[in-house]
Amino acid sequence: AAARRATCLRARQWAAMSTEENPMKELKIAKLILNISVGESGDRLTRAAKVLEQLSGQQPVFSRARYTVRSFGIRRNEKIACHVTIRGEKAEEMLERGLKVKEFELLKKNFAENGNFGFGIQEHIDLGLKYDPSTGIYGMDFFVVMKRAGGGRVAVRRKQQSRVGKPHRITKESTQKWFIDKYEGVLL
């Protein structure tokens, strides 16, 4: 009985532990996705892919239209956008550059319920690339997927798969707090 009481006490102490004390609850960037949606295939899409390649140093992937929309002039399976996924240090540095363009101000509605967030910029040259008249100017979307230092594997492993527990899930509020603390950001 004394052992069970000690276990319960330990469990309560763990539950009372704040995020600062538990290094495994620390928020990190899992990945950053940069997307340029051109809306048509051809030369403009190729130039947009070149812009993404210059920014990230990686080969972009092309996205296809899901169905034909006559009013937009796109056909099903036609390449209409390109995106690139960046992870690690490079992702943090790229996000910093993107937020600098937005002056570290994001709207509350930019944050999803699962803790991920995204925003868009109007001109890629604001990120520090030189303007090239032959390329033109492209806007792009930044989308950031968050993760905790410990965990997430239980939801994706093959054997004994289960859900991430409620206290360990990432919430909109926790990501907003992380954004304000890390980047001295402003929520509008």
Side-chain angles (χ1 to χ4, degrees):
R4 193 177 324 132
R5 235 176 289 133
T7 309
C8 285
L9 181 67
R10 230 175 282 124
R12 255 182 274 145
Q13 286 171 342
W14 270 105
M17 246 181 142
S18 66
T19 311
E20 291 82 43
E21 291 174 42
N22 189 349
M24 290 306 196
K25 285 197 109 177
E26 198 178 295
L27 278 177
K28 292 184 173 184
I29 298 170
K31 59 186 171 182
L32 166 70
I33 297 106
L34 297 178
N35 177 51
I36 298 180
S37 189
V38 179
E40 60 182 322
S41 58
D43 197 34
R44 277 191 66 213
L45 184 63
T46 312
R47 292 199 304 259
K50 215 166 276 171
V51 166
L52 279 181
E53 199 169 343
Q54 285 174 347
L55 269 173
S56 65
Q58 295 172 209
Q59 188 72 38
V61 177
F62 293 101
S63 306
R64 295 170 179 272
R66 282 188 280 186
Y67 35 77
T68 303
V69 181
R70 297 271 312 267
S71 56
F72 293 159
I74 57 167
R75 291 187 304 279
R76 186 168 181 260
N77 285 335
E78 181 183 5
K79 291 178 181 174
I80 55 168
C82 55
H83 65 272
V84 68
T85 303
I86 309 170
R87 296 170 197 270
E89 290 292 317
K90 211 185 218 178
E92 286 184 33
E93 183 248 319
M94 205 61 201
L95 176 63
E96 183 102 30
R97 280 164 67 184
L99 286 169
K100 208 172 278 174
V101 174
K102 299 292 276 185
E103 295 170 350
F104 297 95
E105 291 179 354
L106 290 179
L107 301 174
K108 283 183 181 157
K109 69 178 186 180
N110 284 84
F111 292 82
E113 284 301 318
N114 62 3
N116 301 335
F117 67 97
F119 59 92
I121 61 167
Q122 298 288 314
E123 301 177 348
H124 74 272
I125 52 172
D126 294 337
L127 295 169
L129 286 178
K130 285 243 1 220
Y131 173 66
D132 181 11
S134 63
T135 306
I137 291 179
Y138 291 96
M140 65 178 65
D141 305 317
F142 283 68
F143 192 75
V144 183
V145 178
M146 301 300 292
K147 69 173 183 180
R148 290 211 190 268
R153 182 179 135 73
V154 291
V156 293
R157 65 189 179 192
R158 194 161 172 175
K159 189 178 179 184
Q160 300 239 316
Q161 195 173 31
S162 63
R163 289 195 219 129
V164 174
K166 187 103 168 142
H168 205 67
R169 274 190 212 136
I170 302 171
T171 61
K172 185 179 190 171
E173 291 74 30
S174 62
T175 305
Q176 287 175 347
K177 185 181 178 309
W178 172 86
F179 168 69
I180 291 165
D181 294 345
K182 182 161 183 178
Y183 297 107
E184 281 116 37
V186 180
L187 288 177
L188 304 171

